[in-house]
Amino acid sequence: MSVAARGALHHVELRVADLDRAVAAWGWLLGELSYEPYQRWDDGQSWIAGGTYVVIEAAPLDGVHDRRRPGLSHLAFHAGTTADVERLWRAAPAHGWAQLYADRHPYAGGPDHHAAFLEDGERCKVELVATTR
């Protein structure tokens, strides 16, 4: 791993109820965003891009995530061009992701913010932001 700038995100760890379902959905999405498989163990897996990695791990306690309650709302990723975002938006349902805000897509984040909003099977939301035309 390279040395990252002070304050840069090191990693994100998401706890899930259904590890197999989450690994399938997140593995597809992270692969599409140029993350590569990094580590694997009985209760989890991680993917890395640059100096940042994402961990998907089986939760040791029961419970339900609700992004609308206090806590984490969503993760936002730079997703490339507007064409890249649209390709991911169209492909996501076949990989375990629900499309959010379809009536306002791709400007649910505002008129100058081209993005796709998706939700996995455990209601964890991601925002895929077009950062280049």
Side-chain angles (χ1 to χ4, degrees):
M1 246 190 282
S2 62
V3 176
R6 184 169 184 243
L9 191 62
H10 185 269
H11 72 277
V12 173
E13 187 169 323
L14 299 172
R15 297 271 173 94
V16 299
D18 186 332
L19 183 62
D20 292 335
R21 177 176 65 180
V23 164
W26 281 93
W28 169 78
L29 181 61
L30 293 170
E32 290 293 319
L33 296 173
S34 299
Y35 281 74
E36 297 180 2
Y38 181 47
Q39 300 165 318
R40 186 178 199 136
W41 58 100
D42 289 343
D43 293 328
Q45 189 168 336
S46 66
W47 293 261
I48 192 166
T52 303
Y53 64 96
V54 177
V55 176
I56 304 296
E57 187 170 46
L61 301 174
D62 290 336
V64 177
H65 169 76
D66 188 333
R67 61 183 165 74
R68 298 164 302 165
R69 294 190 186 275
L72 181 69
S73 170
H74 67 279
L75 299 178
F77 294 93
H78 295 283
T81 66
T82 56
D84 293 329
V85 169
E86 293 310 304
R87 181 181 58 76
L88 293 169
W89 169 259
R90 288 188 306 273
H95 298 279
W97 294 91
Q99 297 169 331
L100 297 176
Y101 320 124
D103 60 326
R104 295 178 283 159
H105 176 79
Y107 298 108
D112 298 322
H113 185 72
H114 191 114
F117 291 85
L118 305 170
E119 182 179 72
D120 74 0
E122 295 192 26
R123 304 214 58 212
C124 187
K125 182 170 77 171
V126 297
E127 179 179 356
L128 304 176
V129 180
T131 51
T132 59
R133 298 253 176 221

